Amino acid sequence: MSFNLFYHFGRYVSMMGQALTRPEKFSMYWKETIRQMEAIGVGSVIIVVLISIFIGAVSALQFCYQLDGQLIPMYYVGYIVRDLAIIESAPTITCLVLAGKVGSNIAAEIGGMRQKEHIDAMEIMGVNTAAYLITPKVVAAIVVIPMLVTIGAFVGIIGGYLASVPAGYLTDMEYMRGLRAYFEPYNVFIMYVKSITFAFLITSISSYFGYYVTGGSIELGKASTNAVVIGNIFVLAGDYFIALLLT
Amino acid sequence: MIRVENIYKSFDGNEVLKGISHDFFPGKTNLVIGRSGSGKTVLLKILVGLMAPTSGRVWYDKIDFSTLDKKEIREIRMQVGMLFQGSALFDSLTVEQNIRFPLDMFTNWTTREKLDRVNYCLERVNLAGVNSKFPSATSGWMQKRVGIARAIVLKPKYLFCDEPNSGLDPKTALLIDELIQDITYENQITTIVNTHDMNSVMEVGDNVMLLSGGEIAWTGNKEEVIASDNAVLQDFIFASPFLKRLRVDALEQQKNSRESK
Ligand SMILES: Nc1ncnc2c1ncn2[C@@H]1O[C@H](COP(=O)(O)OP(=O)(O)O)[C@@H](O)[C@H]1O
Ligand SMILES: [Mg+2]
């Protein structure tokens, strides 16, 4: 079976159209949103911190190596690590990782409910299942993922410091000076535009693959893989378009 | 009452239902029987709108289901309860939370009122006191009853059960059948039960429809089963040579007692 892009896109749009309607019962949606925030947020802090610290460290070392013996002042390391973290590595790499972790989780959860007829059971009760199962996840991600990205940016900058300053490439003062140099608040705005867009893409795409799963455990595995692969592609494509539009 | 009119359903050229027309009455256990793969589940899914028929109509009393939009379908569904073949209990919720779920979602009752209703439904299926258990920690027979309790918690006008007693021993299966029948009579519900169990047919078959080859092979009630000479029906109900002999004996007895009168 070929991957029919228009078919999937149409079905995705109609699913999201159903999902983004007025909730039957606000309190039930609220409860579910809080639960999802916990699942997405608390469950992802450690991995985001780990990855950000290494990316910050690696980029700092890389620049130290490249700037060594050049005419560019060493405090530029702090400046470059900061902007790289804010514009690119914190939102994009964090979200690529979350597309794997959160995306596969959502696809498996919703897909499992589809296969065990939980979704049918809810439909029969009269629940708008697209809304109840998807909207809280999307909302939770749009709130929590920007927070994770913020943490990622800070930790990345700390990682850069830890890798470069104790190793003697530059001094405390120089790194700090770099961090304060040429600061553009607009870049922070870009970071949040990216994180919110990616949060929406990751959760809605993975929900889509879970919601329409058929068959058995092999199909569930495929849905989970598709959620991650397609989620990653859309995060990268989104990254490109945001860069094109906003810079 | 639920009426189906000329329902056809095919999957990629595989015609599963070929023109089904039938009435299902309130206050009766309406049975849809047939061998595995005869299309019982497909018919039930069409009845509740989880699947669209290729052609044909479904009526809920005076309402033509096929003309409704998604929102109107959801309104009708507030009056519908369904017991799934695998029970379909939410496994991250306790028994109590499962049964309370429709109440949480659709009523503005107080916690006390909801709990009272949940406990009433649990008692109704003889399961008082299991509120805090998780579905995975209960037996299949208990899960079925929790499924029934959840299906009736919003006092439905229509109740659908897909093979409610599959996977249960004959005696337990009978208890489930009787429970469904009692609830149906008490509340004058239009109940539709899919089954391939001949015991169910003989015990609770008020209005039986036999599906075979995508068509209705026979309709009638449990009293009419033994006397009927419909070959498809006899082959389905009295499937083994042993049961066929029992039927011959039963007919013999009937005849003798008639002659001696
Ligand atoms: N979603 C589907 N897609 C394709 N074929 C299906 C689907 N659902 C059921 N069928 C086919 O319809 C026939 C009847 O199935 P079903 O209604 O489940 O039988 P049963 O009477 O055992 O409940 C089977 O041959 C099955 O393969
Ligand atoms: Mg079936």
Side-chain angles (χ1 to χ4, degrees), chain B residues 12-52:
Chain B
D12 309 318
N14 168 25
E15 210 165 40
V16 176
L17 299 176
K18 305 172 191 164
I20 305 293
S21 301
H22 193 66
D23 289 347
F24 302 96
F25 299 106
K28 290 207 156 116
T29 21
N30 301 278
L31 297 188
V32 176
I33 63 173
R35 307 166 90 147
S36 300
S38 59
K40 303 183 294 294
T41 300
V42 170
L43 181 62
L44 204 64
K45 284 190 172 167
I46 289 172
L47 284 174
V48 296
L50 286 175
M51 229 179 229

Side-chain angles (χ1 to χ4, degrees), chain A residues 154-207:
Chain A
F154 275 107
V155 172
I157 291 168
I158 295 170
Y161 175 91
L162 292 177
S164 56
V165 175
Y169 287 102
L170 70 172
T171 64
D172 273 23
M173 298 294 286
E174 280 176 311
Y175 196 81
M176 292 302 171
R177 183 175 166 203
L179 291 186
R180 295 208 192 93
Y182 318 111
F183 180 70
E184 278 278 3
Y186 184 70
N187 290 343
V188 177
F189 169 72
I190 295 182
M191 176 177 92
Y192 286 119
V193 170
K194 284 187 180 180
S195 359
I196 290 171
T197 310
F198 299 162
F200 178 84
L201 289 172
I202 292 170
T203 44
S204 61
I205 288 172
S206 53
S207 297

Side-chain angles (χ1 to χ4, degrees), chain B residues 214-233:
Chain B
E215 293 173 333
I216 298 181
W218 183 82
T219 58
N221 62 35
K222 59 187 177 197
E223 278 84 30
E224 293 159 354
V225 168
I226 291 197
S228 163
D229 48 16
N230 183 301
V232 184
L233 177 73

Side-chain angles (χ1 to χ4, degrees), chain A residues 14 18 21 24-25 27-29 31 35 113-114 116-130 132, chain B residues 45 48 50 70 74 77-78 80-82 84-86 88-91 100-108 114 150:
Chain A
S14 105
Q18 271 187 66
T21 51
E24 298 85 331
K25 190 80 176 291
S27 59
M28 287 291 278
Y29 279 66
K31 228 169 69 188
R35 194 176 75 84
M113 293 187 72
R114 167 67 75 196
K116 286 182 279 182
E117 297 188 306
H118 292 179
I119 295 184
D120 286 348
M122 282 189 192
E123 278 288 332
I124 295 293
M125 291 172 193
V127 178
N128 178 349
T129 53
Y132 181 64
Chain B
K45 284 190 172 167
V48 296
L50 286 175
K70 281 221 152 85
R74 279 187 205 119
R77 287 203 173 136
M78 315 293 268
V80 170
M82 181 155 174
F84 284 81
Q85 200 162 348
L89 301 175
F90 309 134
D91 30 37
R100 213 182 57 204
F101 185 88
L103 300 176
D104 285 339
M105 197 59 127
F106 299 112
T107 72
N108 290 313
K114 288 185 210 165
R150 188 177 67 179

Side-chain angles (χ1 to χ4, degrees), chain B residues 34-76:
Chain B
R35 307 166 90 147
S36 300
S38 59
K40 303 183 294 294
T41 300
V42 170
L43 181 62
L44 204 64
K45 284 190 172 167
I46 289 172
L47 284 174
V48 296
L50 286 175
M51 229 179 229
T54 310
S55 69
R57 279 169 200 280
V58 177
W59 295 83
Y60 278 63
D61 292 306
K62 292 270 162 334
I63 301 166
D64 180 353
F65 202 76
S66 54
T67 62
L68 304 181
D69 64 24
K70 281 221 152 85
K71 217 168 143 241
E72 292 166 321
I73 288 179
R74 279 187 205 119
E75 271 154 27
I76 283 239

